[in-house]
Amino acid sequence: MSIRRTSSFHSLSGRRHETGRLQAAWERCLDGRGSVVTLHGPVGSGRTELLDAFGEFAESQGAHVLMAAGSPLEREFPLGVARQLFQSPLLPPEIVTEAARLFEDGLDPAPDPAWSAHAGPGGPGGPAAVRPAPHLLHRLSSLLLEYARHTPVLLAVDDRQDADVQSLEFLLYLTRRTRGARILTVLCARENMTPTDPFFEVELASRPNHERVRLGLFGHEAIADLLAERLGDSARRRAAEVYELTGGNPLLVRAVIDDQPRAEPTGTLVVGESYRRGVMNCLHRIDPLALRVARGVAALGRPAGTAMLAELLLLANDSPARALYLLHAAGLFRDGGFRHPSGGGDLLAAMRPAELAALHRRAAELLHTRGGAETHVAEQYRAAEGQMRAPWSTERTPAPAPGGPPPHGSRDVPRPAAGQSGPAPEGDRPVAPADDIVIQCVPVLPGADEEVRPTARGRRTGIRHLFWEGRVDDGLEALTHYEAEHPKGPDNAAGLRAWIGYWYPTLLPDAPGTGRGARADLTLPKNAAPDGVRVLTALAGGLAQREAVAHAEHILRESRVSDIGTRSLTAALTVLLYADQPGRAARWCAAATNRRGHGRDAIEDALLAALTAEAALRQGDVRIADEYARAAFQQITLRQWGTGVGIPLATMIGARTALGRHEDAARYLALPVPDAMFRTPAGLHYLYSRAGHLLATGDAEGALADYRRCGETMARWDLDHLPALVPWRIGAARAQLALTRPGAARALIERQLDGLGAGQPRVRGMALRTGAATAESSERTSLLEDAVRALEESGDQLELSIALAELSAAHGALGDPGQARTADRRARHLSRVSGTAPVQTDDELSEAERRVAELAAAGLTNREIGKRLFITVSTVEQHLTKVYRKLGVRRRVELSHSLEPRPGLAG
């Protein structure tokens, strides 16, 4: 194991210089010459990866590695990072206990004014202004210095720029005293425009034992090495292309590699979902002012001078230059603009329509004032007008700037349908469910592939509209009339019946492809138009999932070179989701978004956005899921979504629940939905998501009722062979666990696992993870290891991070701190990737430990807990030390989340 870890550190691609300097610092540390190393670099440069690899290397050399990470959400939690360091399972219990006692009473609520001046955002009297008492800094430092006499220590702090100011003061105090100790401190920090703690930066820079190591971007050689595994002999030839696309940003390079299909290594370089997601992740983690400048460049559609950007964005004159430096340094920009046009488009798609319209309007005025080309001015006015006239906007079209040209492409503002003059009824007025969706309820028929016309094709479209809107009786009547007039021939209703049979599973028992065993032969003749709806209905009818996936991907490959209808395209993508292949679905969604002619149909855009969001959620990329779900509502109105609204709403609710934004999720659940939606698969999505929200907020009984309703509906519709549609048994088992019914939970999981075929790794991994909570301690570790393997195959980062966190706790409970630490490190890394925090369970707490933990979570001090429970303070500390180890938490504030009813099993 040691040899492997050492080799892994020294063989990191493109990092020979950086690993050499860390190696030298470590050798000095072993000689008793401690130092401080700051690893800094642009967003996406791989700082965390290097820090983790170095930590494994130090462990292999016999060091004890104490790790911590800063977070923007915890900057005002005093000594949060320092507490993480002292809650390591590697430290002897007596040090952990003593540190916990010191943290309890070591903050001075009345700091001196000089310290408050650099105390950070809390301000005088705020959390950041609470200064650590001198004796606390001295005793904590002494504990580590004494410990390092026997064992070399590596203090590894990731995301230092987000650490609380009290922990930074502790680190300064400690590092002043480590020059003669076997302690190496490595701090990772992201480059930004203005240091969050300039006092810390200045003080650290003055230390003779401090060095800064900057992580640069990859060159062609390092990129070629990474490409070799996927592209083989063509790697070196393609390295230049990848460099042009990524600028050598390690995160983006790996994203591009992930996008390349293994079966087509010599084809055109694919710019897919992983790359676009990577760009958005970088942009939203970069300095806020740099993000603002990137939006300005995206809105202009071309590079601009710094003076223009400063005026457009109302920034100080020197801000755009520094922001552009960060964007170029991260490889996101080249020559003042995005390296790939998708970056700017995705960034603008996430903005509020009114905000984006105002930005375009201001750009038009500035360009006109500065004598810009008339075509550029016109582009900006059209873009602004487009946002205001779009169905999602409730504002009027703005007047042109004084002296400027009128808005181009003017059309009448959408008006109410016939019979709806004047103000909309109370229930139809615009609703703003949260901070990012504005809905205009203009009665417009939902998306079709073609305009409604008095032709056979147009009549079929009209019938679909009726069913999509939930007007089932009207739809059946129209279908009867149509079939009477077109009993056979090219205008027959077989395709229409197949679509209705899938969307309303019990409505037309004789619809083609419905019912198990009713699946037809799905060979696709070369001269026949591919039909995704036919594949989807056959999958619902029992077609083997592997076969359905093959047919769906055949259709999607055809869509690259030929025009296929929106229904066929989105149905093929849905097949991949219901066959438990969200990774494939995400890649094909990206390819569909980039296909010829995309962007001309708002309905298709909305459906693709919704499917992309759902695929991202099933891959554990919660923030991307949230962004695309919002984009789905920005393309068309809530009413235009009809009965299909349950799909994007469910994704939005699931994403907000995973992010812990339960109030937002509740507001989306409060939106009115059509009753007929619950007769469609969209209703299953909605119920499953609502159940997850209820479970996460403590209503396990309500969640169980919804999960059972999903199960009853799937049995009635004969869809229980598709657990990836909604894995209701797993959800119900988690609700039963929250209700302390492990036997019932175990029975549900066993039933789920017995019914699983091959090729469903995500459902299998989720079931195994949940089943581990019902197993004996001796079986739990092996079940969780199986769950981790399955979830690694599935690509679900969120579920995998939770499984790893639970595996870490299981290893810890069995007395294996090394394995616990490795699993915990991976869990924390994946939780950062998915945008959520790792979740832990409260397995195996004794009744006494649980009482102490609950009181600590409620905010009581150790002394207050001791008085309440009639035990000594020492006993309280011992219980808390065990609680921290069993739950895998690192700080007191995490207890409130970990002790909710099975929160690690929510959703």
Side-chain angles (χ1 to χ4, degrees), residues 85 105 196 209 229 270 277 347 365 405 418 476 595 628 630 646 732 742 805 845 849:
L85 295 172
D105 305 309
T196 51
N209 63 333
E229 181 179 349
V270 175
R277 185 184 306 159
L347 194 56
E365 294 165 2
L476 287 172
R595 75 183 182 132
Y628 274 92
R630 283 188 284 119
L845 291 186
E849 289 165 355

Side-chain angles (χ1 to χ4, degrees), residues 552-724:
E553 292 198 310
H554 170 79
I555 292 169
L556 293 166
R557 279 191 294 271
E558 288 291 315
S559 73
R560 288 176 168 180
V561 295
S562 62
D563 291 329
I564 67 171
T566 299
R567 282 192 306 277
S568 181
L569 176 69
T570 54
L573 292 168
T574 304
V575 167
L576 300 180
L577 287 174
Y578 291 174
D580 204 18
Q581 300 295 321
R584 290 185 179 187
R587 288 192 291 274
W588 282 112
C589 281
T593 301
N594 292 327
R595 75 183 182 132
R596 182 183 63 191
H598 174 72
R600 295 180 301 196
D601 184 347
I603 299 298
E604 180 179 308
D605 293 351
L607 292 170
L608 283 175
L611 289 167
T612 301
E614 181 63 17
L617 186 63
R618 293 177 183 222
Q619 289 185 295
D621 201 331
V622 180
R623 297 195 184 279
I624 292 295
D626 184 77
E627 288 178 11
Y628 274 92
R630 283 188 284 119
F633 285 107
Q634 290 172 342
Q635 298 293 336
I636 60 176
T637 66
L638 187 70
R639 178 172 293 184
Q640 283 177 294
W641 269 105
T643 52
V645 72
I647 294 174
L649 265 184
T651 306
M652 180 76 79
I653 294 160
R656 296 296 167 100
T657 300
L659 290 168
R661 297 171 64 176
H662 301 307
E663 292 183 1
D664 280 358
R667 284 198 290 270
Y668 288 116
L669 282 167
L671 286 173
V673 294
D675 290 339
M677 181 191 76
F678 294 100
R679 301 175 67 177
T680 73
L684 285 173
H685 284 260
Y686 183 87
L687 283 172
Y688 183 79
S689 188
R690 185 172 72 183
H693 167 73
L694 293 173
L695 185 56
T697 53
D699 186 359
E701 290 284 6
L704 184 59
D706 273 351
Y707 286 131
R708 283 173 169 166
R709 185 176 170 189
C710 286
E712 292 162 1
T713 302
M714 290 183 73
R716 190 168 65 253
W717 292 353
D718 215 358
L719 292 176
D720 211 21
H721 61 291
L722 290 179

Side-chain angles (χ1 to χ4, degrees), residues 115-133:
W115 190 85
S116 295
H118 68 266
V130 180
R131 185 175 190 180

Side-chain angles (χ1 to χ4, degrees), residues 30-95:
L30 294 179
D31 290 338
R33 293 179 292 154
S35 61
V36 186
V37 177
T38 296
L39 297 176
H40 69 108
V43 62
S45 57
R47 301 177 311 277
T48 299
E49 179 189 31
L50 178 58
L51 184 65
D52 286 346
F54 182 56
E56 291 187 350
F57 164 74
E59 284 180 358
S60 73
Q61 301 294 304
H64 280 187
V65 181
L66 310 183
M67 302 196 74
S71 167
L73 300 178
E74 297 183 12
R75 276 187 60 87
E76 295 190 3
F77 177 52
L79 291 169
V81 167
R83 292 170 196 258
Q84 291 181 55
L85 295 172
F86 280 94
Q87 288 167 356
S88 169
L90 289 173
L91 290 173
E94 58 271 18
I95 291 182

Side-chain angles (χ1 to χ4, degrees), residues 130 136 146 392 466 491 600 603 651 798 866:
V130 180
L136 170 66
E146 181 62 30
W392 59 83
L466 294 173
D491 289 332
R600 295 180 301 196
I603 299 298
T651 306
L798 178 57

